[in-house]
Amino acid sequence: MVAGVGGAGSPTPESTPTPTPTPTPALVPTLLEVLRGLDAGPRGLTEGQAEERLGRFGENRVPDTRDPSWARLVARSARDPFTAVLLCLGLVSAAVYAWGTASVILLLVAVSCVLRASGEHRADRSTADLRRLVATTVTVQRRADEDTVPATREIPVEELVPGDVVRLGPGDLVPADVRLLRSTGLTVHQAALTGESAPVPKSAGESDPAGTETAGTGVFQQPHLCFQGTSVASGSATAVVTATGADTRFAAAHRRTGKPPATSFERSVQGVSWILIRFALLTPPLVLMANAALRGRGLETLPFAVAVAVGLTPEMLPVLVTTCLARGAALLARTHDVIVRRLPALHDIGAMDVLCVDKTGTLTQDRPVVDRALNAEGKDDPEVLRWAAAAAWWSLQLADLPTPDALDEALLTTADEDALMAYDGVTALPFDPARRLATVVVRAPGRLGTHTLITKGAAEAVLERCSLTDEERTRLRALAEAQAADGLRVLAVATAERPAGTRPHERGLTFRGLVTLRDDLVPTAAEALAQLAARGVTVKVLTGDHPGTAVRTCRDLGIPVAGVLTADRLDTLTDPELTELAGRTTVFARCTPEHKTRITRALQTGGHTVGFLGDGVNDLPALRTADVGLAPRDAAGVTRDNADLVLAGKDLTAIGHAVAAGRHAGGNIASYLRITLSSNLGNVIAMLSAGLLLPFLPMLPAQVLVQNLCFDAAQLAFAYDRPAPSALRRPAVLEPRALLRFIVGFGALNAVADLATFGVLAFALRGPGDDEALFHSGWFTENLLTQAVVMVLLSLGARGASGRRPGPVTWSAAALAATGLFLPMSPLGPPLGLSPLPGVYYGLLAAVLTLYAAGLMTARARQDRRSPVT
């Protein structure tokens, strides 16, 4: 008896293999053709042949992914678009001999690259520690020479070669792709390759091939083939190795990964970067042309023009982004055992609004549990479960099985132990995949001369052996099919009384009832899914199982099922049709790896940021296509190595914590961008306007640079801030157009405040031309004070009146304001061309700042009403 037993119409793929056209010999070679092609035989290779083939084919190793070197990590960090903008400005500054500006910019670039590279290096090192041990030895049958009797021995799995004859038993990992020679009750776990939730029956016979060499899972359904990456659930077999190392199906999935598409974060960064690049490239020519046309100035204004362009660019963005993501990644690793292998993936998971998961091992555990026991009338009857458990117990004892299979274990867990001991076992016929049932013969106490035969198995197989009328058989078959359609596995039970000493005869049985089983749910799944839903993340189930099984799991977990789409229907849809339908569908059933990838891409085309949680090789293409790929620690090695986030286990609550950390980081990055870019834009507009009205430069290049450095240092506080609670309730998406609208609106407001300060300076200083140093000092102070006000008011937003204690941003803004007030009158002022300001200026400046703060609060309140997150 194996886990694959189910009723007629059972939703599990292993209970009733999907019929496919009879394959041609060219597609499914016979055993003789396989052996001839390998130049091998059932007696195994000689040691000389094995040594020669090891040299020809190489060791039996799957190509391993190498962690990138430090140099490659740093180079990859330098390709960031924001970093590229800074590098260009740094080179331009060096070209015009503005060495101070160039040095600062290049230092920021170096710090950002090192921070990001070190974070990803730590993640790669942590992931390397998680790599599981795989099969190290294999039992192989070899001969010393052609005339020697074959002998079995253990060899390292790396020394296995095509043509070797291997022996497999319960619990063994299949060490290579093999063709079965002989098998007894063999079932194999193929979840790592196909996603099937239960073991699949395998046999060495050639009379009933289950599939052809087609795209999809057809080749994996062929009963006489087993593949590397799978494991033996029950039974035993002897097989000949057909492929090793890089030629296996497992390795083929490894090679198909390719370069992943741009993620949500990368697309957002590219959009914002192009906005910055356009502004940065346009600003210096505009400054030069305006000054040349109106003031007759030439190239002497180029350092000032470059300084203005630098002032527009958020120099600290690479550093701040890396710091935000690295802090979030360190917190996840320390408190929730989540390893972030690619730092930008933390932002992606914060922006995620759709999470695609497999059912098996993610929502459900890899074992069934008893749901109900029904008699022939469809009513609950514990006696049926007692008969089924007795059959499972004595089949385990008498058939000399090492461990019970998944279904038998579920029966034994639920049954009363005293009831099992009430019988004495006589003999057993173990489960046969061809008959799809198992039988035991037991003796009840006090009933000498009479034995009881108990048969359990697939409903169709058991019903045809029972003494029933056609009407009764039709009714019971419908009862079994109804349970199967409800997403349950179905096990039929029948008994018969036989004279002692007679051979077990599985005919004329009395039907006892049905035992239904369902997938055991992951204990934390329901709570975790509810948390994800509360945070605006929609869960979609992509599974290789029957749709009824997946729908039943969703119902048990409280996932609203908006629609169900099966693979055969999906194959008829065009890409635009699938994009439209995917957003409205919850369950995608009978999916192959290609289907999962196509669904993931369709959701992305529909405007969603998609996460994919998978653990098998079959999940690898979709995992790499998604914006963020997640895998548990015990996933297949190649899948784990290609994941962006690695979870300590298959606990979905860890994903909720990762989403929260990603949204914290994304919220801080978005706040920094909005505040910095709007303030910088306002300063640049005012600077350009003043430059056209004044007979001198409104601020010296060195003063612009120092102002930028002060503001940049203060803005690092955004990496340590906590965004509004509302930021956790929806995806943290960095939308370039929305960002552009924000910075233009608030930048214009900032420019108005700066130009008002220009009027204040004209009044307080009795004409701006009277004292160039005083004008520079006044505007320097005003710029830092307005930037401090912007930091506080725009970061708090609607929370400003909540009475929240001051945070890092507030204290940093206070330090920035103090710098603006005291630097002109400090000993550092004269070297920078700054001088103390008259007292009347501070009074007028306070009035300007008060009006500016009122305008900011009004505009911010309107912005909050339209978009609460920003």
Side-chain angles (χ1 to χ4, degrees):
M1 175 62 197
V2 299
V5 174
S10 173
T12 58
E14 63 281 2
S15 60
T16 306
T18 303
T20 56
T22 302
T24 65
L27 292 176
V28 182
T30 65
L31 176 58
L32 183 59
E33 290 172 335
V34 170
L35 293 175
R36 285 177 176 172
L38 294 169
D39 190 19
R43 301 175 66 211
L45 300 175
T46 65
E47 295 295 346
Q49 289 174 324
E51 184 177 354
E52 183 273 331
R53 295 186 186 197
L54 184 62
R56 178 156 39 114
F57 294 103
E59 290 189 338
N60 180 33
R61 296 178 183 271
V62 176
D64 194 14
T65 54
R66 296 183 179 179
D67 294 332
S69 63
W70 254 100
R72 176 169 292 187
L73 287 173
V74 172
R76 191 164 63 191
S77 301
R79 293 201 305 265
D80 179 88
F82 286 119
T83 306
V85 172
L86 288 179
L87 280 173
C88 291
L89 291 175
L91 294 176
V92 171
S93 300
V96 298
Y97 305 107
W99 299 115
T101 303
S103 300
V104 171
I105 292 176
L106 295 177
L107 176 63
L108 292 176
V109 170
V111 169
S112 172
C113 291
V114 170
L115 281 175
R116 179 170 296 182
S118 61
E120 295 189 8
H121 176 70
R122 285 195 302 269
D124 289 335
R125 188 174 56 191
S126 300
T127 306
D129 295 336
L130 298 177
R131 292 193 176 106
R132 293 191 307 169
L133 293 176
V134 295
T136 56
T137 62
V138 60
T139 302
V140 66
Q141 178 177 299
R142 285 184 181 172
R143 297 169 291 158
D145 52 51
E146 291 288 350
D147 301 325
T148 305
V149 176
T152 59
R153 65 185 180 91
E154 294 284 323
I155 66 169
V157 71
E158 293 84 2
E159 297 179 7
L160 205 62
V161 296
D164 262 328
V165 173
V166 298
R167 294 187 178 181
L168 303 172
D172 286 348
L173 294 174
V174 179
D177 289 356
V178 300
R179 206 288 187 195
L180 297 178
L181 300 175
R182 296 180 297 278
S183 64
T184 303
L186 182 67
T187 62
V188 176
H189 285 293
Q190 293 192 152
L193 294 175
T194 65
E196 293 169 294
S197 59
V200 178
K202 296 287 185 177
S203 62
E206 300 179 9
S207 59
D208 60 343
T212 61
E213 183 83 26
T214 61
T217 60
V219 66
F220 298 114
Q221 298 301 331
Q222 294 184 22
H224 51 280
L225 299 180
C226 296
F227 302 92
Q228 187 180 48
T230 64
S231 61
V232 177
S234 64
S236 60
T238 301
V240 60
V241 175
T242 58
T244 59
D247 296 326
T248 63
R249 294 269 171 176
F250 191 87
H254 198 292
R255 290 193 300 269
R256 284 197 299 266
T257 56
K259 183 180 178 180
T263 64
S264 170
F265 180 73
E266 291 166 342
R267 293 193 297 268
S268 299
V269 164
Q270 289 168 2
V272 175
S273 296
W274 277 111
I275 294 174
L276 296 178
I277 290 171
R278 293 186 184 101
F279 275 117
L281 293 178
L282 286 174
T283 300
L286 285 176
V287 173
L288 290 173
M289 289 188 295
N291 277 275
L294 299 179
R295 293 294 178 183
R297 300 174 187 141
L299 290 178
E300 67 271 14
T301 60
L302 183 57
F304 173 73
V306 172
V308 172
V310 172
L312 177 64
T313 305
E315 300 97 328
M316 293 301 293
L317 183 60
V319 177
L320 186 130
V321 167
T322 304
T323 303
C324 284
L325 298 179
R327 289 188 71 249
L331 180 65
L332 283 175
R334 185 171 62 251
T335 59
H336 302 294
D337 292 331
V338 177
I339 296 176
V340 182
R341 300 190 69 244
R342 185 179 60 83
L343 284 183
L346 189 61
H347 179 277
D348 292 332
I349 200 169
M352 178 180 71
D353 62 333
V354 172
L355 175 64
C356 297
V357 301
D358 192 8
K359 178 185 72 67
T360 306
T362 303
L363 304 179
T364 63
Q365 304 187 74
D366 294 331
R367 65 172 184 266
V369 293
V370 173
D371 184 65
R372 298 175 67 188
L374 307 174
N375 60 21
E377 304 302 320
K379 298 180 180 179
D380 291 323
D381 187 349
E383 189 73 7
V384 178
L385 180 59
R386 183 176 65 85
W387 285 115
W393 171 257
W394 288 110
S395 179
L396 177 66
Q397 302 301 317
L398 299 175
D400 196 25
L401 300 176
T403 56
D405 68 19
L407 291 188
D408 282 353
E409 188 172 10
L411 295 172
L412 296 174
T413 301
T414 309
D416 181 5
E417 186 175 345
D418 293 336
L420 298 179
M421 297 298 104
Y423 300 95
D424 292 326
V426 178
T427 187
L429 298 176
F431 175 78
D432 184 350
R435 299 187 310 129
R436 295 193 298 157
L437 49 80
T439 296
V440 299
V441 178
V442 298
R443 180 173 57 247
R447 299 195 63 185
L448 297 177
T450 302
H451 292 168
T452 302
L453 181 147
I454 310 172
T455 297
K456 64 178 174 64
E460 186 69 28
V462 173
L463 286 173
E464 69 181 16
R465 289 167 170 80
C466 294
S467 297
L468 298 168
T469 65
D470 291 342
E471 182 180 349
E472 289 174 329
R473 187 172 284 105
T474 301
R475 180 179 62 81
L476 293 172
R477 187 182 295 114
L479 176 63
E481 291 174 349
Q483 299 300 313
D486 197 30
L488 299 169
R489 303 186 194 184
V490 182
L491 196 64
V493 183
T495 64
E497 300 296 324
R498 297 284 189 262
T502 60
R503 295 182 61 184
H505 180 58
E506 298 166 335
R507 293 291 174 183
L509 307 180
T510 300
F511 183 78
R512 291 293 182 177
L514 304 173
V515 177
T516 60
L517 303 100
R518 57 175 172 80
D519 290 331
D520 192 14
L521 303 178
V522 173
T524 59
E527 177 188 357
L529 291 172
Q531 292 176 353
L532 289 173
R535 290 173 176 168
V537 178
T538 301
V539 174
K540 297 186 182 292
V541 179
L542 281 59
T543 179
D545 271 354
H546 188 281
T549 306
V551 171
R552 174 64 184 242
T553 299
C554 291
R555 187 169 68 243
D556 291 343
L557 290 172
I559 302 175
V561 179
V564 179
L565 188 64
T566 57
D568 53 352
R569 167 74 174 129
L570 191 150
D571 288 335
T572 66
L573 299 175
T574 64
D575 288 343
E577 290 173 337
L578 179 59
T579 298
E580 194 275 332
L581 192 59
R584 299 185 283 108
T585 303
T586 303
V587 173
F588 300 85
R590 299 294 196 194
C591 289
T592 66
E594 290 76 14
H595 290 137
K596 293 181 180 181
T597 304
R598 190 179 172 210
I599 293 165
T600 302
R601 191 174 291 115
L603 290 167
Q604 291 174 322
T605 303
H608 298 284
T609 300
V610 183
F612 190 95
L613 173 62
D615 60 354
V617 178
N618 62 309
D619 296 322
L620 184 57
L623 181 139
R624 285 179 59 83
T625 300
D627 293 289
V628 56
L630 304 99
R633 179 172 56 189
D634 58 354
V638 64
T639 305
R640 186 179 59 244
D641 290 344
N642 281 275
D644 298 314
L645 275 75
V646 178
L647 314 179
K650 295 179 180 179
D651 185 357
L652 292 180
T653 57
I655 299 180
H657 295 306
V659 169
R663 291 185 181 177
H664 277 146
N668 288 340
I669 293 170
S671 294
Y672 167 82
L673 279 174
R674 288 193 298 268
I675 293 170
T676 300
L677 292 178
S678 60
S679 179
N680 288 357
L681 180 63
N683 289 340
V684 167
I685 293 174
M687 199 84 69
L688 292 175
S689 301
L692 300 178
L693 298 174
L694 294 173
F696 51 82
L697 292 178
M699 196 176 290
L700 300 177
Q703 295 166 351
V704 175
L705 179 60
V706 170
Q707 174 187 278
N708 289 339
L709 287 177
C710 293
F711 195 25
D712 290 339
Q715 288 167 333
L716 278 177
F718 283 106
Y720 302 90
D721 193 26
R722 288 187 66 83
S726 60
L728 297 180
R729 294 196 290 268
R730 63 183 67 191
V733 179
L734 191 63
E735 216 289 314
R737 291 186 179 180
L739 177 65
L740 182 60
R741 289 194 298 269
F742 187 99
I743 64 176
V744 168
F746 284 88
L749 185 60
N750 183 273
V752 170
D754 285 344
L755 292 175
T757 304
F758 178 82
V760 167
L761 286 169
F763 176 80
L765 303 179
R766 301 296 188 272
D770 295 341
D771 195 330
E772 183 176 335
L774 284 178
F775 185 90
H776 291 160
S777 301
W779 210 344
F780 181 89
T781 297
E782 184 270 344
N783 275 338
L784 292 187
L785 289 177
T786 54
Q787 287 172 336
V789 170
V790 168
M791 285 179 62
V792 173
L793 295 185
L794 292 191
S795 64
L796 291 178
R799 297 175 294 150
S802 64
R804 183 182 177 184
R805 296 176 60 185
V809 172
T810 303
W811 291 116
S812 182
L816 182 65
T819 301
L821 289 171
F822 296 112
L823 184 60
M825 62 185 70
S826 72
L828 296 176
L832 292 174
L834 302 176
S835 60
L837 292 161
V840 65
Y841 170 74
Y842 293 105
L844 295 172
L845 180 59
V848 172
L849 292 177
T850 300
L851 294 175
Y852 178 50
L856 275 178
M857 291 297 293
T858 301
R860 178 68 204 214
R862 183 179 303 170
Q863 178 71 25
D864 284 338
R865 286 193 296 270
R866 286 188 298 178
S867 179
V869 173
T870 58

